[in-house]
Amino acid sequence: MRVLLIHAKRFIYRTRMKAIPEAEDINGVQGEGSFENALVVFTTVESRDTSNPKEVVETAAKDIVEIASKVGAKTIVVYPYAHLSQKLAPPHQAKNILAMLELEIKKLASDKFEVSRAPFGWYKEFELHCHGHPLSELSRNYEAKTTARVEVKK
Amino acid sequence: MRVLLIHAKRFIYRTRMKAIPEAEDINGVQGEGSFENALVVFTTVESRDTSNPKEVVETAAKDIVEIASKVGAKTIVVYPYAHLSQKLAPPHQAKNILAMLELEIKKLASDKFEVSRAPFGWYKEFELHCHGHPLSELSRNYEAKTTARVEVKK
Ligand SMILES: [Mg+2]
Ligand SMILES: [Mg+2]
């Protein structure tokens, strides 16, 4: 799992159209969001994450909550983003793992942060205002320790 | 070289503070920029790019100009971004290769696009408004074909 964490003064998104057939159903779910003082977690679920999603999600959630605390964000937004890796997980698994990540963050820190998740598989318009302080742009690579073997193919 | 290409309705950046000692001197150079209808090229120069920078830069510039034409952007902004790879080139080389990329894009297409480059090595505040159409977010991996061997270490 690769993430790009942006501490944003403001973040707004709106779904535009389905990008893939497996796009998340947004009837009744938020097709748009608007946030101030948010940690936006642009997240790419990778194929290797499917071998132990629980551990990857726990590792990621713990770190994300720590970073959100450090920067003083009010909200954490899990934002599906397929552009941070070339080794994507299959869409239905990526969708599930992103939902697990949202739940795990809520489990750890719903008393401290609002936690939101943007729908998977949609083209989205967005407006992002990044603070620019030293911790306002971070990238992370999360993996399960119990996945001993990491295949790297190019 | 890894890039994330965002077709932006609007893109604004301002330098905040030096991130590394090798930060680009911005006396006389633009410490801020404001653009409408821009293709923003978030660019990570990787260590392997240093073995044949000329070819990587030519490959990248050609593709970037094609994408800018396709989306109908008015401006191309080369934006240094260290967060798209874990195998970064040494800063002084990354800085040079980014400058080469700007020049190559200008060489190919200064008649069609305004071409700008944000300074290397600075923490920057930015505002980005991504269109959200299917070509408004793309990622690319450029490499020199004459670099036969690709080392992948984790
Ligand atoms: Mg996307
Ligand atoms: Mg940066």
Side-chain angles (χ1 to χ4, degrees):
Chain A
M1 180 179 288
R2 291 269 303 165
V3 304
L4 179 62
L5 303 124
I6 304 286
H7 183 208
K9 292 187 184 184
R10 202 178 51 139
F11 181 61
I12 299 171
Y13 73 81
R14 297 167 209 93
T15 51
R16 290 280 303 265
M17 65 182 91
K18 285 191 181 191
I20 51 172
E22 299 87 347
E24 195 165 349
D25 186 1
I26 58 169
N27 291 335
V29 180
Q30 214 168 17
E32 56 181 57
S34 178
F35 312 93
E36 296 200 351
N37 188 17
L39 184 70
V40 186
V41 187
F42 293 91
T43 307
T44 305
V45 181
E46 296 178 286
S47 48
R48 66 181 180 188
D49 301 331
T50 62
S51 67
N52 193 344
K54 190 170 177 289
E55 193 184 331
V56 177
V57 161
E58 286 171 357
T59 305
K62 190 164 171 283
D63 191 50
I64 290 164
V65 166
E66 269 180 39
I67 293 167
S69 299
K70 251 186 226 167
V71 301
K74 195 176 69 178
T75 302
I76 297 172
V77 184
V78 175
Y79 195 84
Y81 211 68
H83 301 295
L84 303 177
S85 171
Q86 297 171 290
K87 294 162 282 181
L88 302 183
H92 66 286
Q93 296 193 62
K95 193 161 56 176
N96 288 342
I97 292 173
L98 287 159
M100 287 170 65
L101 181 60
E102 179 194 13
L103 288 178
E104 184 67 21
I105 294 171
K106 282 183 172 162
K107 197 178 105 182
L108 290 180
S110 62
D111 55 331
K112 292 191 204 122
F113 306 99
E114 287 183 52
V115 182
S116 187
R117 182 173 58 85
F120 178 86
W122 291 78
Y123 292 117
K124 293 184 277 292
E125 179 177 354
F126 68 81
E127 291 174 63
L128 174 67
H129 186 160
C130 170
H131 272 277
H133 63 69
L135 293 179
S136 63
E137 293 175 80
L138 300 169
S139 51
R140 292 284 189 273
N141 206 19
Y142 303 117
E143 53 186 296
K145 280 174 196 154
T146 51
T147 305
R149 190 154 155 269
V150 178
E151 285 187 53
V152 180
K153 282 179 194 161
K154 291 269 168 175
Chain B
M1 179 179 289
R2 290 269 303 164
V3 304
L4 179 63
L5 302 124
I6 304 284
H7 183 209
K9 292 186 184 184
R10 201 179 52 141
F11 181 61
I12 299 171
Y13 73 81
R14 300 166 206 93
T15 52
R16 290 280 304 265
M17 66 182 89
K18 285 191 182 189
I20 51 170
E22 299 87 348
E24 194 164 350
D25 185 2
I26 58 169
N27 291 334
V29 181
Q30 214 170 16
E32 58 181 54
S34 178
F35 312 93
E36 296 199 354
N37 188 15
L39 184 71
V40 186
V41 187
F42 292 91
T43 308
T44 305
V45 182
E46 296 178 286
S47 47
R48 65 180 181 189
D49 300 330
T50 62
S51 65
N52 191 344
K54 190 169 176 289
E55 191 184 331
V56 178
V57 161
E58 285 171 358
T59 304
K62 190 164 170 283
D63 190 49
I64 290 164
V65 166
E66 267 179 40
I67 294 167
S69 298
K70 250 185 229 170
V71 299
K74 194 175 74 180
T75 303
I76 297 171
V77 183
V78 176
Y79 195 85
Y81 211 69
H83 302 294
L84 304 177
S85 171
Q86 296 172 290
K87 296 162 281 181
L88 303 183
H92 66 286
Q93 296 194 60
K95 191 161 55 178
N96 288 342
I97 291 172
L98 287 159
M100 286 170 66
L101 180 60
E102 179 196 11
L103 289 177
E104 184 67 21
I105 294 171
K106 282 183 172 161
K107 197 177 103 182
L108 291 180
S110 62
D111 55 331
K112 290 189 206 126
F113 306 100
E114 287 183 50
V115 183
S116 187
R117 182 171 59 83
F120 177 86
W122 291 78
Y123 292 116
K124 291 184 278 293
E125 180 177 353
F126 69 80
E127 290 174 63
L128 174 67
H129 186 160
C130 171
H131 273 277
H133 64 67
L135 292 178
S136 63
E137 292 175 79
L138 299 169
S139 51
R140 292 284 189 272
N141 207 19
Y142 303 116
E143 53 185 296
K145 281 176 196 154
T146 51
T147 305
R149 191 154 156 270
V150 178
E151 286 186 52
V152 180
K153 281 178 195 162
K154 290 270 167 174

